[in-house]
Amino acid sequence: MSAARNLDRTLAALADPTRRRVVELLRERPRRAGELASAFRISAPAMSRHLRVLRTRGLVEEERVDDDARVRVYRLRREPFDALSLWLRELEAFWSDQLEAFGAHVAKRRAEAQRGTR
Amino acid sequence: MTFRSSTDCVRATTLVPADPAAAFALFTREVDLWWRRGPRFRQGLGRSSVMRFEGEEGGRLVESYTDEAGGAFEVGRIKVWKPGDRLVFEWRGHNFEPGLVTEVEVRFERAERGTRVTLEHRGWDRVPLDHASRHGAGASNAFSSMIGLWWGDLLTSLRAHAKSREGA
């Protein structure tokens, strides 16, 4: 059940407006931690906590750039988002199947009513 | 890298041959007749059951079990009940943490040859963080049950879904 567990972790990590916005920004391109902090009205330590949540749950990864060990760039990892897309597609299929069944039921009732009035 | 535009809402829509008032009545009062059966669609892991909207606003959507063990599962409270127009109810999986609910909204709009029914399922953004962290202890979790059931026959259902779209 590790796919489900990972999905729960992904959803939980995204259950915060700031972290969702961080993910939005990282969709465009990788960014430095400082750049992310300044894009929000929150302190660097607060941003760092959000990034840690995203990192420990596997949504982002960090890498050092150039020769400067102090500079870290955050980028999205593809896997958790692929798994999430797959699950959301399955949920869409679930409700599409349900609405299809509902449509068939309405059509059946209408046909019965038409037979009754003939 | 491509992503869905929205991760916190799933939408489905269909056109049914009835006016909005009749479509709303059939959707709610005859829910058990059209709601698909089996472990993929009902909560009781294969137990035979009856689905029912009890009451109107403030009422609830319930799945009652018709086997010897009996009992019932409350899927969620009815939040909006506007016949012929709009229905909103909460949606819980049977092993969600207490207090964790998602939400389903169904809109009925008059169309040229019937009613356009649009369903939105949302609320993933309410999954609390500590919820996921409790997995290690073997505690119940929000989505694993639904996912477990769906994951298993994922390919089958996706294929069937694609086929039904081809035929449509």
Side-chain angles (χ1 to χ4, degrees), chain B residues 45 50 64 90 93 95 99 107 109 116 123 137 164:
Chain B
L45 301 169
V50 175
S64 308
E90 296 167 337
N95 63 352
R107 288 192 303 275
E109 292 160 301
R116 164 72 49 193
S164 73

Side-chain angles (χ1 to χ4, degrees), chain A residues 1 3-9 11-16 19-20 23-24 27 53 57 76-78 81-107 109-110, chain B residues 1-4 6-7 10-14 16-18 23 26-27 30 33-36 40-41 91 104 117 119 121 124-125 127-129 131-133 135 141-144 146-148 150-151 154 157-158 161 164-165:
Chain A
M1 200 46 49
R5 184 172 304 177
N6 288 338
L7 192 54
D8 255 12
R9 288 161 61 91
L11 287 166
L14 291 172
D16 175 277
R19 289 196 292 276
R20 280 203 298 279
V23 166
E24 291 295 314
R27 279 164 71 161
V53 168
R57 284 167 177 78
L76 290 185
R77 293 182 66 245
R78 185 179 184 113
F81 294 96
D82 282 352
L84 184 58
S85 294
L86 195 62
W87 180 67
L88 289 168
R89 253 177 28 226
E90 176 62 3
L91 188 55
E92 264 164 9
F94 169 87
W95 286 116
S96 289
D97 285 354
Q98 292 285 57
L99 287 189
E100 197 177 287
F102 173 58
H105 180 66
V106 174
R109 281 282 183 255
R110 190 180 68 158
Chain B
M1 207 182 283
T2 57
F3 297 93
R4 293 172 52 90
S6 165
T7 57
V10 156
R11 184 177 291 132
T13 181
T14 192
V16 300
L26 290 172
F27 192 96
E30 300 196 350
L33 297 180
W34 61 263
W35 195 281
R36 292 178 184 236
R40 180 163 173 256
F41 295 100
W91 177 270
V104 175
V117 181
L119 183 148
H121 190 176
W124 325 123
D125 51 346
V127 184
L129 247 195
H131 177 84
S133 67
H135 279 212
N141 50 73
F143 296 98
S144 297
M146 295 199 299
I147 296 159
W150 291 345
W151 213 260
L154 180 66
S157 60
L158 282 180
H161 181 60
S164 73
R165 285 286 154 277

Side-chain angles (χ1 to χ4, degrees), chain B residues 93-163:
Chain B
H94 70 269
N95 63 352
F96 275 26
E97 295 280 338
L100 172 61
V101 283
T102 59
E103 187 175 275
V104 175
E105 171 171 16
V106 192
R107 288 192 303 275
F108 300 81
E109 292 160 301
R110 189 176 296 280
E112 203 178 318
R113 290 161 63 192
T115 300
R116 164 72 49 193
V117 181
T118 306
L119 183 148
E120 266 186 28
H121 190 176
R122 61 200 174 213
W124 325 123
D125 51 346
R126 289 177 214 150
V127 184
L129 247 195
D130 57 355
H131 177 84
S133 67
R134 264 177 281 189
H135 279 212
S140 64
N141 50 73
F143 296 98
S144 297
S145 159
M146 295 199 299
I147 296 159
L149 296 170
W150 291 345
W151 213 260
D153 61 355
L154 180 66
L155 292 175
T156 320
S157 60
L158 282 180
R159 218 175 293 129
H161 181 60
K163 197 175 275 180

